[in-house]
Amino acid sequence: MIPTRRTLLAALAAVGTLASLTACGGGSDSSGSSSGASSGTYTFWDPYPQFDASSAWGRLVTSCGTKAGVKLKRTAYDTTDLGNKALLAAQQGNAPDVMLVDNPVVSTLVEAGILNKTGDLGLDTKSIQKNIIGAGTIDGASYGVPIGANTLALYYNKKVLSAAHVDPASVRDWNSLTAALRKVRAAGKKGITFSAINTEEGSFQFLPWFWGAGGDLTKLDSAEGVAALSLWQQWVKDGYAPKDVLQNTQTTAWQEFATGDYAFGENGTWQLGNADKAGFGYGVINIPGRRGGSAPVPTGGEFVTVPVQKDTARYDVSKKIVTCLTSDTNLLPTDTTLMYVAPTAAVQAEQVRQNPRLKPWVDAVASARGRTSGGLGTRYPTISQPMWTAVQAALSGSKTPQEALKTAQSSARKG
């Protein structure tokens, strides 16, 4: 069943809050919003208003149009605005020729019948890491080409851990992480900071622990889900994590870690530049699974897509533009600028060669999952909101983890 316009807009609004997860700035460029006025002009929308026409990204977009033999008219919106405008433009028959969208939005646009399959366009995606392209794959078909991915890991403060006699390599599972936090508190420092805010950011940060326990998003109140929420609740109760995680965005959680008082901070690839400016030695480790290994982490990042057009003859040029934007040659500088992990092994290897600090992030992305993967599609927002609500209830003490997740599962089922 195709969702109603209201349902789709609500879903887009819910997933659109991930702009902050993908290093996208706010604001928009209102210089244009319709398809090319002539066959020599093609339109391109992206969620990067922080990059103007003179930036490396802006110049790349222009050059890809030139190489395809057309003028490429670029319009930049913030993530939420872009998703909503894409839906409305498609309904009005004037969708852009090529569009870069946040990965959770892809499934919503597919259900609305807006996007072409990459296979139908003849786009080659064989070299793309399967779990990265999985965020834009519905019923076995991909509907875009990922430009890169970002995700979560644990930053740690070397000085704080050293003073507490904690070797970061000893953190291999939840028990060893909690033991490390205990030692840090005993040494007079603060433990771990993260975002548990009642938005998609809170769900994004909770997912590694939920999945790391073996949780299934279609069964929020499973024993595994309860274990993950109980871990966070216990950390707050014991003072290993601050109570303000309930209000923390990923930005404010980072600001707490940047004070130098915390041992660990859960945050993303996009904070690497800020980490270098923090003024203290830091390292990065993967978020541990409940019983060891790296926990699956959610992928952030965007997909280059080709919206459905009345004039199907335009697709040949659109394909050339997408191929240019996502070629290995262009992915390297683009993903370096965005602090993304590239979607192909070849470019990932070159990224690590140029910047060895990206190695743990490449490893994290290798075990990452798309939030809408596994057939969830547009169901994800109806699961995520009850989940972050449950996190709030448990960490505030108004409900037990089991009660909170039971309520969440009931709400998700109705959604």
Side-chain angles (χ1 to χ4, degrees):
M1 182 180 72
I2 300 298
T4 64
R5 176 174 174 272
R6 179 179 297 176
T7 301
L8 285 166
L9 285 171
L12 283 166
V15 297
T17 57
L18 292 171
S20 61
L21 306 182
T22 52
C24 297
S28 65
D29 176 356
S30 58
S31 59
S33 60
S34 61
S35 292
S38 68
S39 60
T41 301
Y42 276 59
T43 49
F44 174 70
W45 292 359
D46 70 42
Y48 303 150
Q50 71 270 35
F51 299 129
D52 62 20
S54 66
S55 67
W57 171 251
R59 295 195 304 273
L60 172 62
V61 171
T62 299
S63 69
C64 283
T66 300
K67 290 176 182 176
V70 297
K71 178 182 178 182
L72 193 54
K73 184 178 181 181
R74 173 186 174 233
T75 305
Y77 299 101
D78 66 45
T79 296
T80 304
D81 202 22
L82 188 153
N84 288 324
K85 280 184 167 57
L87 182 63
L88 295 174
Q91 290 174 337
Q92 296 164 2
N94 63 349
D97 292 286
V98 181
M99 183 166 58
L100 189 64
V101 297
D102 197 18
N103 73 64
V105 178
V106 173
S107 61
T108 299
L109 298 180
V110 169
E111 283 213 32
I114 292 174
L115 301 181
N116 282 289
K117 297 177 181 178
T118 56
D120 291 347
L121 296 168
L123 287 164
D124 183 6
T125 59
K126 290 192 297 291
S127 64
I128 304 294
Q129 202 163 290
K130 287 184 179 180
N131 63 327
I132 297 179
I133 200 167
T137 300
I138 294 89
D139 295 331
S142 62
Y143 287 83
V145 183
I147 204 163
N150 56 39
T151 194
L152 297 165
L154 292 181
Y155 288 86
Y156 64 85
N157 184 316
K158 292 182 177 180
K159 185 176 180 180
V160 171
L161 289 190
S162 178
H165 304 291
V166 172
D167 179 355
S170 69
V171 177
R172 300 179 182 276
D173 54 22
W174 290 4
N175 285 340
S176 55
L177 176 54
T178 300
L181 296 176
R182 189 179 303 116
K183 289 182 179 180
V184 167
R185 274 299 301 263
K189 290 292 185 178
K190 299 177 181 179
I192 186 169
T193 182
F194 50 86
S195 170
I197 195 170
N198 58 337
T199 69
E200 178 61 30
E201 289 190 60
S203 290
F204 191 75
Q205 291 238 321
F206 181 60
L207 278 173
W209 311 95
F210 182 85
W211 282 336
D216 180 338
L217 284 173
T218 65
K219 303 172 183 175
L220 293 176
D221 57 349
S222 67
E224 291 81 8
V226 172
L229 189 48
S230 296
L231 179 74
W232 269 21
Q233 184 195 57
Q234 194 64 42
W235 283 352
V236 172
K237 182 179 177 181
D238 291 344
Y240 299 158
K243 292 181 179 179
D244 62 13
V245 295
L246 285 163
Q247 292 83 42
N248 271 349
T249 64
Q250 293 185 109
T251 298
T252 54
W254 176 261
Q255 290 167 350
E256 283 186 333
F257 178 73
T259 62
D261 293 331
Y262 283 85
F264 296 97
E266 179 183 352
N267 229 294
T269 329
W270 56 90
Q271 298 291 6
L272 273 173
N274 289 329
D276 289 335
K277 302 172 185 176
F280 54 82
Y282 73 93
V284 178
I285 58 173
N286 295 138
I287 296 173
R290 182 181 185 182
R291 295 185 175 87
S294 296
V297 285
T299 53
E302 291 82 39
F303 276 62
V304 189
T305 65
V306 177
V308 172
Q309 302 289 340
K310 292 180 180 177
D311 180 5
T312 58
R314 298 180 72 83
Y315 294 153
D316 285 342
V317 170
S318 296
K319 174 186 173 182
K320 292 178 182 178
I321 294 168
V322 175
T323 300
C324 175
L325 290 170
T326 58
S327 69
D328 282 1
T329 300
N330 290 328
L331 281 176
L332 182 61
T334 296
D335 288 335
T336 299
T337 297
L338 296 173
M339 279 296 178
Y340 281 11
V341 172
T344 68
V347 181
Q348 288 176 2
E350 182 58 24
Q351 284 184 294
V352 173
R353 190 190 70 78
Q354 292 186 11
N355 183 0
R357 294 176 306 149
L358 286 174
K359 179 63 168 64
W361 295 105
V362 170
D363 292 342
V365 165
S367 62
R369 298 179 186 173
R371 282 158 284 171
T372 57
S373 298
L376 286 182
T378 52
R379 289 178 60 199
Y380 174 73
T382 68
I383 295 170
S384 179
Q385 183 166 354
M387 182 168 63
W388 81 54
T389 302
V391 170
Q392 287 267 309
L395 269 57
S396 67
S398 64
K399 289 184 179 180
T400 67
Q402 191 165 18
E403 291 169 342
L405 288 172
K406 183 177 181 180
T407 300
Q409 180 61 23
S410 178
S411 297
R413 191 178 293 115
K414 293 175 182 175

